Amino acid sequence: MMEGSARGDSVSAGPVLPEGLSSGDIIGIGVEEGTLLLNLSSRALESLEALSPEDARMAVYAMVNTLTLLPETEQVAFFFDGLQVETLSGTLYMYGTFLFNPFFAED
């Protein structure tokens, strides 16, 4: 997900997450009653905030659509240093949970 499409994928897409993010930016991850709880670093928040609103939305749904493919995961809740933020890039409401969104899915 952090590098874009895998080799051999029928669709070629570049990375949608901000450059420099790594697995080290994942503070914690767990599943509770079908909700994947993803706790990311403040550095991840800063990197996502630096994106345009459209790119931030694409990055969030790239994570959501990928993570909801996991067994027992129906939705995703985002936390940054243990807290939910109100908005991302000033336009994307982040409280609560996100469901798979086919609009952002690759064919």
Side-chain angles (χ1 to χ4, degrees):
M1 177 169 54
M2 293 190 178
E3 297 173 3
S5 297
R7 285 192 174 160
D9 282 356
S10 60
V11 177
S12 177
V16 294
L17 298 181
E19 188 174 322
L21 287 186
S22 70
S23 59
D25 289 300
I26 300 172
I27 295 172
I29 191 166
V31 178
E32 188 173 297
E33 298 180 11
T35 301
L36 188 138
L37 308 170
L38 181 60
N39 189 15
L40 300 172
S41 69
S42 58
R43 188 174 83 89
L45 176 60
E46 291 169 6
S47 295
L48 290 165
E49 283 282 351
L51 298 175
S52 71
E54 183 177 297
D55 287 345
R57 182 173 284 107
M58 185 69 79
V60 166
Y61 276 103
M63 289 185 277
V64 169
N65 285 356
T66 299
L67 294 169
T68 54
L69 295 175
L70 296 171
E72 300 180 26
T73 301
E74 299 169 14
Q75 54 194 1
V76 178
F78 289 91
F79 297 85
F80 297 91
D81 284 338
L83 303 172
Q84 283 196 304
V85 297
E86 185 175 348
T87 62
L88 190 61
S89 293
T91 61
L92 183 59
Y93 188 72
M94 295 296 291
Y95 281 139
T97 59
F98 289 81
L99 299 170
F100 181 88
N101 188 327
F103 179 77
F104 293 98
E106 293 180 349
D107 292 329

